[in-house]
Amino acid sequence: MTLKGLVPMLLAGILGAAIWAGTIYATGYEFGLMAWGIGLLVGGAALVSVGDAANASTGVLAVIVTLVSITLGKAMIVEIYVQEYMAESEMFDIDGEISRIETDVDYLVTFIADEIVWEYQTAGKPLKWPGGEEPEEFDSPDVYPDDVWMEAEDVWSGMDADEQETFRTETIERMRMGHEAGMALVGIGGRIAGFIGSFGLLDILFYLLAMGSAYKMGSGNGE
């Protein structure tokens, strides 16, 4: 078989995958039956393009293209969901946090206090948390033990203006890099989990139907 048969199959598979993903994007529903349609589309493209030259080889190739196309469609669907989630997610307002670091000295000093807390915990020194337990958020002076906050303020006041500005800049950069890394991990994890979770028993059935139809039509046995 030549590229005369392969190219139409690839185009049909890509078109089918795009239509499947586009339909889900427009309606919000995943029509698994459309995976079968991709097999019919690819098999039909193979049959039309090679005509009487259709044989077992063209059928097998149609099956391979169908599998790749359906998998591509699945990946496109998952990508749509991931992009929507990341666009709508308000897990972390990075711009607001950076603005607060730039304008709120007490908030900036909490990052020094965090380092002191970590040093205390590493050394096994007791921490007398206000309220008797470690807070969920470390964003203001009143959540830290008095001795920790006093030490943090001493460190801050011991810096000259250039050192304070350097600390502020480095803190912003660390926060930005951490946010970017975190969002990247969320994206990767979401894509993997979404792709694996998108498969069910019906998907296996539609895969088999698509493969069978692609082979039957692509090999010329569907005539």
Side-chain angles (χ1 to χ4, degrees):
M1 188 184 63
T2 66
L3 290 177
K4 180 181 178 182
L6 177 60
V7 172
M9 280 191 276
L10 290 173
L11 292 176
I14 293 171
L15 177 62
I19 292 174
W20 189 19
T23 301
I24 292 175
Y25 180 76
T27 65
Y29 294 96
E30 181 176 348
F31 300 98
L33 189 62
M34 293 186 72
W36 186 8
I38 293 176
L40 293 171
L41 195 61
V42 172
L47 183 60
V48 169
S49 61
V50 300
D52 293 337
N55 54 35
S57 295
T58 59
V60 170
L61 189 55
V63 169
I64 294 173
V65 173
T66 295
L67 288 174
V68 172
S69 300
I70 294 176
T71 302
L72 174 62
K74 281 277 189 183
M76 292 169 66
I77 292 163
V78 170
E79 185 65 22
I80 289 171
Y81 290 141
V82 169
Q83 291 298 327
E84 286 184 346
Y85 171 79
M86 294 182 71
E88 297 173 0
S89 176
E90 297 180 355
M91 292 187 299
F92 190 74
D93 181 8
I94 183 65
D95 293 331
E97 290 293 307
I98 290 175
S99 177
R100 189 176 177 187
I101 290 173
E102 293 173 336
T103 59
D104 187 344
V105 173
D106 277 349
Y107 184 56
L108 180 57
V109 175
T110 63
F111 291 87
I112 300 175
D114 290 341
E115 294 178 5
I116 295 171
V117 167
W118 182 82
E119 291 172 358
Y120 272 44
Q121 292 174 332
T122 301
K125 296 175 64 175
L127 290 162
K128 296 181 180 180
W129 298 103
E133 58 183 21
E134 186 172 339
E136 294 183 1
E137 296 185 6
F138 298 81
D139 59 355
S140 61
D142 58 313
V143 304
Y144 293 92
D146 291 339
D147 54 343
V148 169
W149 187 252
M150 290 176 61
E151 187 175 343
E153 286 189 315
D154 288 341
V155 172
W156 174 254
S157 61
M159 300 179 186
D160 60 31
D162 288 341
E163 290 172 334
Q164 289 177 349
E165 185 58 32
T166 297
F167 179 76
R168 178 181 284 107
T169 301
E170 291 178 347
T171 300
I172 291 173
E173 187 61 24
R174 286 197 300 269
M175 178 172 288
R176 183 178 284 112
M177 291 176 63
H179 174 68
E180 291 174 354
M183 291 304 291
L185 287 175
V186 168
I188 293 171
R191 288 177 178 89
I192 294 173
F195 187 77
I196 294 174
S198 69
F199 288 91
L201 292 177
L202 282 178
D203 291 280
I204 296 175
L205 173 61
F206 290 133
Y207 260 73
L208 292 174
L209 288 172
M211 291 165 60
S213 297
Y215 181 81
K216 188 174 183 179
M217 297 179 68
S219 63
N221 292 326
E223 295 182 309

